[in-house]
Amino acid sequence: MMELVLKAVPIRRGLPSDRQSYITSVFYGDIARLLDDNRLYVPNRPDLPDLAQRKPNPTRIKEIAQYILETYKDGTTFFPPICVNVQPSPTYRDGSIFLPYHDVTLRLTDGQHRCFGIRKALQDIETQQSENLRDLFQLEIGVLIYAGLSLDEERQAFRDQNLLVQRPSVSLSHYFDKRSPQVVIAKELLQRVPQFRNNVETIENSLGSHNPKLLTLSTLVIATKYMFPNLKSKKDLELKIDWATTFWAAAASTLNDDPWQIKTKAERCQQRQETLLVSAVIFQSLGMLAHNLYQEDVPGEDLIKWLRNLQNLDWRRQNKFWLERGLVQVGTTGEPIISNTKITVNICYKILQEFVGVAPVSGLM
């Protein structure tokens, strides 16, 4: 009888003796083979009575495959274990579990997108870099094996595994990221631009009235992505960092009353109510404007000259100019509000283009 033998460590997940699980690992190649053989079963079809999974997301599968291909060579592919419900319960002896290959059911309770992403990565590398296929085949992913869960228990496992997970904030995710070149640039700006130093929120996604910071790291990363769209390589990154640093310092120097300096909580709260200059929309649209100037090869020493007309704008929220241009709207309390949307960013960007005097670049939004 053909068996699937896996080195494993038994773990207890409850006081009853039958609540037994195992920790093991499986090769990427075996993940793909088990999926193709329907031995690794994903109960994600809502028309079946054994539904215990969500529908797969093709976009997420593609993103995971790309993540694998970008990270596996230097060993920085970080995956949590997948979770599998084995029916019937496996036999455990001498440090291994033994599964009858043609009779066992491996029901995936968590990690379907990782598994489908692994299979797609193998398919992609077979067509693009077949010489690396064997290396990718031999990589492993951790597996938590549940022994003989009922359908109700399996559904509960799926619910608990997904409901109890908390994603990090976008800002914190960027703060810990060392791969994306735009994120690397944005984090360098935190130290190099005087107005950003100790003045950017790197943990939370938003700035409440209690937070005196100027902007969030997530906003600065978005602005940097607008500044350098489609940037994939870290080649000549230092030159881009220097230019971006000069741009933001130049923009800050052209604004009246130094609005981006460090302030107290009360001062910042009051400032957010009075001026647009500290809104996320402004930083994003400035990033788009920076892209125009970078494409025009404007040297850093000329940026102040190009941006000086920004000081001629009346940035007060109460200024009817912004209402007439559609950048702000009157809220239910009668106060002008600005929504952080692609529409408002694009409106602001076009206004900045008009005042600075640069031609629009298509395809940014």
Side-chain angles (χ1 to χ4, degrees):
M1 180 178 65
M2 184 177 177
E3 289 184 313
L4 180 63
V5 182
L6 300 171
K7 293 289 186 181
V9 176
I11 57 173
R12 293 183 64 188
R13 55 179 176 81
L15 294 181
S17 60
D18 63 338
R19 295 298 189 262
Q20 189 70 54
S21 300
Y22 304 90
I23 292 290
T24 184
S25 64
V26 175
F27 292 117
Y28 280 18
D30 286 334
I31 290 289
R33 177 170 56 86
L34 290 167
L35 284 173
D36 291 340
D37 288 350
N38 293 319
R39 301 299 173 194
L40 185 56
Y41 174 58
V42 188
N44 56 19
R45 285 179 52 187
D47 58 328
L48 294 179
D50 65 344
L51 173 69
Q53 268 278 359
R54 73 187 87 187
K55 292 172 62 177
N57 184 326
T59 299
R60 190 175 174 201
I61 292 170
K62 184 177 180 180
E63 290 173 346
I64 289 176
Q66 186 62 34
Y67 165 74
I68 293 170
L69 295 177
E70 290 177 352
T71 59
Y72 81 96
K73 286 186 177 180
D74 62 2
T76 60
T77 305
F78 296 109
F79 275 152
I82 62 173
C83 300
V84 177
N85 177 27
V86 173
Q87 294 278 8
S89 297
T91 300
Y92 177 77
R93 64 177 184 270
D94 300 328
S96 296
I97 54 176
F98 297 81
L99 306 172
Y101 188 83
H102 293 292
D103 297 323
V104 73
T105 300
L106 305 172
R107 293 173 59 88
L108 200 62
T109 71
D110 186 59
Q112 65 166 328
H113 290 94
R114 272 162 278 164
C115 289
F116 291 143
I118 286 171
R119 182 170 64 177
K120 178 166 176 50
L122 289 169
Q123 293 168 345
D124 290 348
I125 204 169
E126 186 173 15
T127 59
Q128 300 168 13
Q129 306 172 35
S130 58
E131 68 276 9
N132 295 324
L133 180 61
R134 182 178 177 82
D135 292 335
L136 195 57
F137 247 79
Q138 297 301 312
L139 296 187
E140 297 174 276
I141 186 168
V143 184
L144 172 59
I145 292 183
Y146 297 122
L149 299 182
S150 67
L151 179 59
D152 285 342
E153 288 176 320
E154 184 177 318
R155 288 170 169 170
Q156 186 73 48
F158 169 80
R159 177 262 185 198
D160 292 354
Q161 287 160 351
N162 288 276
L163 191 65
L164 299 179
V165 171
Q166 182 178 357
R167 289 180 175 271
S169 70
V170 178
S171 288
L172 185 60
S173 178
H174 289 322
Y175 192 61
F176 290 163
D177 182 22
K178 295 184 179 296
R179 290 198 189 97
S180 168
Q182 291 107 328
V183 172
V184 171
I185 293 173
K187 289 196 292 185
E188 283 295 323
L189 295 175
L190 299 184
Q191 305 302 321
R192 301 193 190 190
V193 179
Q195 290 77 9
F196 293 166
R197 198 173 299 131
N198 300 318
N199 207 14
V200 176
E201 175 58 57
T202 59
I203 306 299
E204 303 296 336
N205 275 337
S206 58
L207 299 172
S209 58
H210 67 287
N211 197 318
K213 298 294 180 65
L214 175 64
L215 74 161
T216 64
L217 179 57
S218 60
T219 294
L220 184 56
V221 169
I222 294 173
T224 305
K225 289 182 177 180
Y226 281 137
M227 186 181 293
F228 303 110
N230 305 314
L231 181 61
K232 301 296 182 182
S233 171
K234 292 183 180 179
K235 182 181 179 181
D236 298 327
L237 205 60
E238 188 64 31
L239 295 176
K240 293 179 174 63
I241 293 171
D242 287 342
W243 192 92
T245 300
T246 305
F247 171 84
W248 287 112
S253 69
T254 62
L255 302 175
N256 297 322
D257 301 322
D258 198 9
W260 292 352
Q261 63 181 313
I262 292 178
K263 295 184 179 295
T264 65
K265 296 178 183 179
E267 290 172 335
R268 187 69 78 198
C269 184
Q270 182 71 21
Q271 186 186 38
R272 290 185 185 125
Q273 296 172 7
E274 295 176 350
T275 178
L276 299 175
L277 279 174
V278 291
S279 70
V281 170
I282 296 299
F283 290 105
Q284 293 173 70
S285 56
L286 281 170
M288 298 172 74
L289 180 67
H291 177 69
N292 292 160
L293 298 174
Y294 187 77
Q295 290 291 90
E296 292 291 331
D297 292 323
V298 175
E301 59 268 22
D302 291 344
L303 284 171
I304 290 181
K305 180 177 66 177
W306 276 86
L307 297 173
R308 62 188 175 191
N309 280 343
L310 295 180
Q311 63 188 340
N312 297 327
L313 279 166
D314 182 348
W315 295 96
R316 291 175 299 171
R317 284 178 178 260
Q318 298 286 354
N319 183 5
K320 290 184 178 180
F321 171 81
W322 306 115
L323 181 63
E324 292 168 353
R325 293 296 188 97
L327 184 62
V328 301
Q329 297 177 325
V330 178
T332 56
T333 61
E335 295 296 321
I337 59 175
I338 179 170
S339 301
N340 184 8
T341 66
K342 285 188 176 182
I343 293 175
T344 53
V345 171
N346 201 32
I347 290 172
C348 186
Y349 165 55
K350 292 184 182 301
I351 293 172
L352 296 183
Q353 282 186 313
E354 177 184 333
F355 270 77
V356 171
V358 295
V361 175
S362 62
L364 261 182
M365 294 302 291

